[in-house]
Amino acid sequence: MSRPFPYTYISCPCVERPVSDPSRKKETSPRKGSSQPAPEINDNDDEEEEKDFDPRSPRANFSLYPPEQLLYCEDCHQIKCPRCITEEIVCWYCPSCLFETPSSMVRSEGNRCARNCFSCPICTAPLAVSTLENVSGSGSQQGPWVLSCGYCMWTTLDIGIKFDKPTNIRNQLSKMTESSRGRQMSRAYGDLKSPLSPLATAYSTVDGPEVPPDDGKPPADEDPAVLGPDARFAALKAFYRNQLSETSASPNDPLGTDFGAGFSSPGALNRIMSLYTSSTLSGLYGGNSKKSKPKPLMMREAQTASEGLKLAASDAEDTIIQRMASDDCGWEGLASSEQRVFQFPEARFVEDLLPLPTLLRTKRSKRCKSCKHILVKPEFKPQSTRFRIRLIALSYIPLTTIRPLAVSPSSGVTSSTTLLAAPTPDLNALQPLQPIQILLTLKNHMFDPVRVTLGTPSVTPGAVATKVTILCPQFDIGANSDVWDEALQASNPADQRSSRSGLTGGYEKVAEAGKVWDKGRNWTTVVLEVVPGLLERKTGTLNTKEKKDEEDAKDARHARDATSDGGWSDSDENETTPPPGHGLGLETQSSPAPAQPDEDVLEIPVFVRMEWDSENQMEQPVAKGKPEMVKRELAYWMVLGVGRIEY
Amino acid sequence: MPPKAAKGEYIETDTGNKISRRSNIHGTQHIILGGKTVIQTDAVIRGDLYRLPGAHPSSSSSTTGDSGEPTPAPAPAAPNTPSVAVSIGRYSYVSKQAVLRPPSRLHRGVHSFYPLKIGDHVFIGERAVVEAASVGNHVHIGCDAVVGSMAILKDFAYVLDGAVIPPGMVVPSWCVVGGAPARIVGEVGEGYGVEGAEGGLARERYRLVGR
């Protein structure tokens, strides 16, 4: 999701302020500034100027976010990026049927849809329930049902599965897969409970608190492959739980249950109690407890099928190899590693793949990590797109839009031609050393007027030195008044438009230093004069490590743009095709590619400092009756992606 | 065609729709535009693929008569009303060479079309093919994307360029989908869709058309 030009990224100030280290005295970023005296502000400013933000540094790239992803904490008075927040799950829902799953059910049944939502084991597309009886009229819809993929045309018929009814397919499938594979129905705890669920452990504690079960039950009363994978997992877990509790039965062994403390709460309690008793009581009463401590039992491994042991058949691998080598399997018959990731471990062939119940997704509320105030709280219902609380940065920081100004040919071209076809520079092919003017519009969304100071290094960092001048670095933006005013304002939109397009009347507007270009009710436009630097071809100055760093950072940004928290790990997304000429060595003078990827992208770091007076909020400890005006300040770096320099 | 060019590229309707003279719109009486919608050059809208009024009642009557139970037939339209093939909301934008085609489905042996509903502030990229059953508000469909038949894109869904959404897929709100077949690869930020920011540029986009 790399953005088209022009774009704006905002650097979250947290990059200079490690969250984990609140004791750090010297803060380089002017963060709060609620009532800072002026000299201190200047101090901060000087510090900032000492180290300009470099959008190309590998570290900075991790702090750059598109503005709509940023939040704003009203208590910290600071921009909050996804790194500065914590998330809490509000609800679980299936992305396919959009039904909510209660969190208790998620805990017991696992985070997959319990309805009819499945994804294709071959291509991950959603499967549809369709009937085999497709004759019109006569069918009465009793025909067998299958799951079919509309993308790769796979159906459950390929693995020989039909369903009797079109509802509750998940249950039908789990029954079928347990039985159709020659395994009898798994016992009590086997019916597709999530193996990690507390319910499953509760089950297994019921039937196994006894002494070593190898003599309690006849070892091989069933055939060894009796348990399905889920049931086997549950059996193994129960077995090891018992082993742990038995071998660490003595409460005086504080380390005995360390391993199992995670999933056996009685064991954890034992451990805690034994910590106290062994350290304090045994110290007090001498060594009685040491004497009473029995010899700990040895832990043993699972020995029977009922305990979850599965013996590999001696010729299992041979049969697999033979099947692989046979003609009817071929390359297509083998499951790819991506497909096998989500299946049972022994699934090697396409026929072994089962439809996957759709993974659930979550709606999450977000909190500020430092002050724990809630920043985003969506509505509870999965289908709702509304928010109860939504403190996004866009309603506080000015909305930045950039637009190239139509090129004004300095040579004598008649104004009529410029009016008709004033060519805006092509942002994907900026001419080096040819000055362009860029309109930078900042729109205020707060109800207080804001004073903005912009700063930028006169020459952009990086290999391509582009000269940037902000013609009017300090200006005011009006307050965002209410909607009705805006409606009234919009009654004469023609005038507004013409002024914004930069052509007022017949004459052409000329950008002047120290003056704003244009100004509206709550927005102000200033002009940036940019002289794109000359792209040097294949200078061997950059060593490969630097190059690699930069590339990594770019990758990271692209990966973050499409924040990959989806259920599927999309391998396609992560592949970034290397640009032409990359990796061919820097010495190849003939190749016209830039020395490193995206070196030709013109990104301008701009430091924004905004000051405004706002009413004092309740949390300030100033005990005065009337609302007091407080000077607030917010400062951040942003990066304007202007375009690509032609070379 | 110099005279046409002088007239301007776009026809602007009373409700503010800006429709390119070079777009290919079929079956206009089955298309509803909500106003201020932009349809660009060479965009194709297949309004002629509407559900035949004769086809559906026969199939529905046969099924209700045979099965005798209320089977959930999806959205049975009243047979008398002129069937709508494509409806598009306000401030939506259909880019060049995009194709909007009503979804179709084989239902009990009868191949029938279903209406394609597109919400407000929807962007449809160049050369995209949209066959969805419904597209919510503020949905972005990237260039060269393919939205399969009967897919549902909820509000604020974001389809990356070149994604292929398989038929029948549901994309929940705020989700970013990409790849072929499309999967959910992320979520857009909370500020997505705010007026003037990413996802909220529909009005600006509309304003710039034809100027």
Side-chain angles (χ1 to χ4, degrees):
Chain A
M1 208 161 88
S2 60
R3 313 229 152 170
F5 296 114
Y7 57 80
T8 314
Y9 285 121
I10 288 176
S11 165
C12 179
C14 74
V15 71
E16 297 163 20
R17 174 169 39 92
V19 182
S20 56
D21 189 10
S23 62
R24 226 178 91 174
K25 275 282 161 18
K26 187 160 182 172
E27 284 172 353
T28 46
S29 74
R31 58 184 271 223
K32 212 171 258 183
S34 54
S35 54
Q36 275 178 337
E40 206 179 321
I41 290 170
N42 285 342
D43 260 12
N44 278 341
D45 232 5
D46 291 346
E47 263 173 44
E48 284 298 335
E49 275 167 11
E50 278 169 21
K51 45 190 193 83
D52 286 330
F53 185 81
D54 181 6
R56 294 183 181 277
S57 87
R59 187 175 162 82
N61 266 318
F62 287 99
S63 79
L64 285 174
Y65 289 92
E68 75 267 7
Q69 289 199 0
L70 294 171
L71 306 173
Y72 184 87
C73 179
E74 283 197 315
D75 273 39
C76 308
H77 301 291
Q78 190 53 272
I79 298 172
K80 296 287 167 186
C81 73
R83 289 203 314 176
C84 325
I85 55 163
T86 55
E87 295 189 331
E88 290 161 24
I89 291 168
V90 169
C91 76
W92 298 76
Y93 67 96
C94 168
S96 190
C97 60
L98 299 176
F99 270 102
E100 192 195 332
T101 306
S103 58
S104 59
M105 204 163 140
V106 173
R107 237 172 283 132
S108 62
E109 308 275 325
N111 61 337
R112 289 185 182 268
C113 182
R115 290 182 184 77
N116 284 352
C117 306
F118 286 89
S119 50
C120 176
I122 309 292
C123 71
T124 73
L127 296 175
V129 182
S130 52
T131 176
L132 286 176
E133 296 285 324
N134 230 338
V135 284
S136 61
S138 68
S140 76
Q141 294 301 316
Q142 294 300 324
W145 302 76
V146 292
L147 291 169
S148 62
C149 173
Y151 187 80
C152 68
M153 303 299 158
W154 181 88
T155 66
T156 47
L157 280 179
D158 296 359
I159 53 171
I161 290 181
K162 292 179 197 168
F163 301 99
D164 299 329
K165 22 185 226 303
T167 54
N168 211 353
I169 293 218
R170 172 105 184 246
N171 259 351
Q172 293 185 57
L173 184 70
S174 66
K175 278 176 189 152
M176 262 179 239
T177 51
E178 288 298 329
S179 57
S180 73
R181 314 215 142 194
R183 292 155 194 167
Q184 76 185 53
M185 287 280 297
S186 54
R187 278 119 13 117
Y189 41 79
D191 47 355
L192 245 145
K193 286 264 153 49
S194 160
L196 300 171
S197 68
L199 237 171
T201 58
Y203 261 106
S204 41
T205 44
V206 168
D207 61 352
E210 77 277 14
V211 276
D214 49 351
D215 48 7
K217 288 175 194 168
D221 52 345
E222 303 133 317
D223 58 315
V226 74
L227 294 177
D230 283 326
R232 201 152 62 81
F233 184 86
L236 273 175
K237 194 161 71 117
F239 170 74
Y240 282 113
R241 250 179 50 81
N242 284 337
Q243 284 294 304
L244 281 172
S245 63
E246 278 162 18
T247 52
S248 61
S250 63
N252 298 329
D253 183 11
L255 298 177
T257 47
D258 250 3
F259 176 63
F263 46 89
S264 62
S265 55
L269 189 66
N270 269 349
R271 191 173 73 92
I272 292 165
M273 294 309 290
S274 69
L275 276 179
Y276 285 112
T277 50
S278 62
S279 62
T280 61
L281 293 183
S282 66
L284 277 177
Y285 300 116
N288 338 350
S289 57
K290 226 169 232 167
K291 273 179 237 157
S292 69
K293 184 197 232 169
K295 177 98 175 144
L297 294 163
M298 288 298 285
M299 245 182 94
R300 62 180 184 86
E301 300 295 329
Q303 283 172 345
T304 61
S306 60
E307 285 169 355
L309 176 70
K310 186 186 178 191
L311 289 175
S314 56
D315 57 343
E317 292 203 328
D318 288 338
T319 46
I320 287 176
I321 290 168
Q322 274 165 16
R323 201 171 149 197
M324 282 179 183
S326 67
D327 284 339
D328 53 337
C329 171
W331 183 251
E332 291 80 27
L334 283 173
S336 70
S337 53
E338 290 88 13
Q339 289 162 352
R340 285 176 58 193
V341 161
F342 297 102
Q343 301 281 343
F344 289 126
E346 55 258 39
R348 300 294 293 267
F349 301 97
V350 168
E351 292 102 77
D352 300 337
L353 302 178
L354 293 175
L356 293 160
T358 306
L359 276 172
L360 302 180
R361 289 190 69 79
T362 54
K363 286 184 102 167
R364 299 171 304 279
S365 64
K366 295 178 180 174
R367 280 179 194 278
C368 175
K369 211 180 247 177
S370 50
C371 72
K372 307 292 178 210
H373 265 80
I374 205 145
L375 302 178
V376 169
K377 191 177 177 110
E379 284 273 343
F380 191 70
K381 281 192 294 183
Q383 299 238 26
S384 169
T385 55
R386 295 157 59 145
F387 291 88
R388 288 181 188 159
I389 300 167
R390 183 167 68 154
L391 301 173
I392 49 174
L394 279 176
S395 40
Y396 295 89
I397 61 175
L399 179 68
T400 310
T401 45
I402 47 181
R403 198 160 58 85
L405 187 58
V407 181
S408 56
S410 51
S411 56
V413 185
T414 55
S415 65
S416 61
T417 53
T418 51
L419 261 182
L420 270 182
T424 51
D426 183 12
L427 292 183
N428 285 310
L430 295 171
Q431 295 300 316
L433 301 181
Q434 190 172 333
I436 54 166
Q437 291 187 332
I438 293 165
L439 296 178
L440 176 67
T441 305
L442 278 86
K443 192 173 182 185
N444 184 16
H445 282 161
M446 284 192 291
F447 295 109
D448 302 302
V450 173
R451 190 174 320 113
V452 176
T453 312
L454 300 179
T456 180
S458 56
V459 173
T460 55
V464 184
T466 297
K467 293 199 188 91
V468 183
T469 317
I470 301 172
L471 291 187
C472 180
Q474 194 157 22
F475 52 91
D476 294 332
I477 317 178
N480 184 19
S481 39
D482 58 4
V483 189
W484 185 238
D485 283 1
E486 196 167 6
L488 289 178
Q489 188 90 7
S491 59
N492 51 356
D495 151 54
Q496 193 186 346
R497 271 186 225 159
S498 66
S499 69
R500 273 177 114 179
S501 67
L503 302 167
T504 44
Y507 68 94
E508 199 166 340
K509 210 167 166 178
V510 180
E512 280 180 81
K515 283 189 180 170
V516 297
W517 172 261
D518 201 358
K519 200 166 157 63
R521 182 175 55 88
N522 65 339
W523 53 268
T524 300
T525 303
V526 294
V527 177
L528 248 69
E529 207 163 61
V530 177
V531 186
L534 191 62
L535 208 67
E536 290 180 36
R537 296 174 192 214
K538 300 300 170 201
T539 58
T541 54
L542 295 144
N543 59 12
T544 42
K545 188 192 173 299
E546 211 172 325
K547 187 173 120 182
K548 175 134 178 38
D549 279 354
E550 195 144 322
E551 201 175 296
D552 286 350
K554 283 283 172 196
D555 284 357
R557 192 196 296 183
H558 288 310
R560 202 215 32 249
D561 263 349
T563 40
S564 52
D565 63 344
W568 307 101
S569 64
D570 197 351
S571 58
D572 297 343
E573 282 295 307
N574 298 332
E575 282 173 24
T576 50
T577 48
H582 163 68
L584 294 177
L586 297 169
E587 288 76 32
T588 50
Q589 297 277 340
S590 57
S591 153
Q596 46 176 298
D598 284 346
E599 187 191 51
D600 50 346
V601 171
L602 172 53
E603 285 189 329
I604 304 173
V606 176
F607 185 68
V608 183
R609 199 182 76 199
M610 40 189 292
E611 294 170 278
W612 71 99
D613 297 325
S614 77
E615 280 183 10
N616 202 348
Q617 299 294 320
M618 297 295 287
E619 75 265 19
Q620 300 284 339
V622 193
K624 280 180 184 171
K626 63 180 169 70
E628 190 199 356
M629 298 308 271
V630 181
K631 186 171 241 182
R632 295 219 183 279
E633 184 195 318
L634 183 68
Y636 56 91
W637 281 95
M638 68 179 177
V639 172
L640 308 176
V642 172
R644 203 175 273 276
I645 303 172
E646 201 174 49
Y647 50 89
Chain B
M1 314 178 258
K4 278 199 174 175
K7 260 199 270 177
E9 159 92 45
Y10 294 94
I11 304 168
E12 192 161 344
T13 65
D14 289 343
T15 49
N17 298 307
K18 290 177 180 172
I19 299 161
S20 168
R21 291 178 194 276
R22 286 178 286 163
S23 60
N24 297 317
I25 301 179
H26 306 277
T28 45
Q29 65 270 34
H30 301 285
I31 298 174
I32 295 178
L33 299 183
K36 311 218 172 180
T37 285
V38 179
I39 296 166
Q40 286 211 310
T41 311
D42 294 332
V44 180
I45 301 182
R46 295 295 302 271
D48 52 338
L49 303 179
Y50 58 96
R51 176 156 24 170
L52 292 171
H56 180 68
S58 70
S59 71
S60 72
S61 68
S62 70
T63 50
T64 48
D66 284 337
S67 62
E69 58 182 4
T71 47
N80 290 334
T81 54
S83 49
V84 176
V86 179
S87 71
I88 305 180
R90 291 170 69 78
Y91 285 112
S92 289
Y93 191 97
V94 182
S95 302
K96 288 172 185 165
Q97 300 171 30
V99 179
L100 303 187
R101 199 158 51 192
S104 64
R105 188 168 86 138
L106 196 64
H107 186 60
R108 293 174 191 168
V110 181
H111 184 264
S112 58
F113 287 99
Y114 290 79
L116 163 61
K117 292 176 194 139
I118 295 180
D120 303 339
H121 297 251
V122 173
F123 176 82
I124 297 170
E126 290 181 18
R127 297 176 301 281
V129 180
V130 179
E131 246 181 295
S134 92
V135 176
N137 301 329
H138 291 274
V139 172
H140 177 102
I141 298 174
C143 303
D144 302 299
V146 177
V147 181
S149 186
M150 302 302 281
I152 296 173
L153 310 183
K154 305 296 283 185
D155 296 354
F156 301 100
Y158 194 102
V159 181
L160 295 176
D161 292 356
V164 179
I165 295 184
M169 185 179 182
V170 180
V171 180
S173 297
W174 311 104
C175 282
V176 179
V177 291
R183 304 171 189 174
I184 300 171
V185 294
E187 284 174 9
V188 294
E190 279 79 15
Y192 185 81
V194 168
E195 185 66 42
E198 187 77 13
L201 293 166
R203 288 196 178 88
E204 188 70 25
R205 215 183 279 131
Y206 169 79
R207 203 180 295 145
L208 292 176
V209 165
R211 302 188 75 246

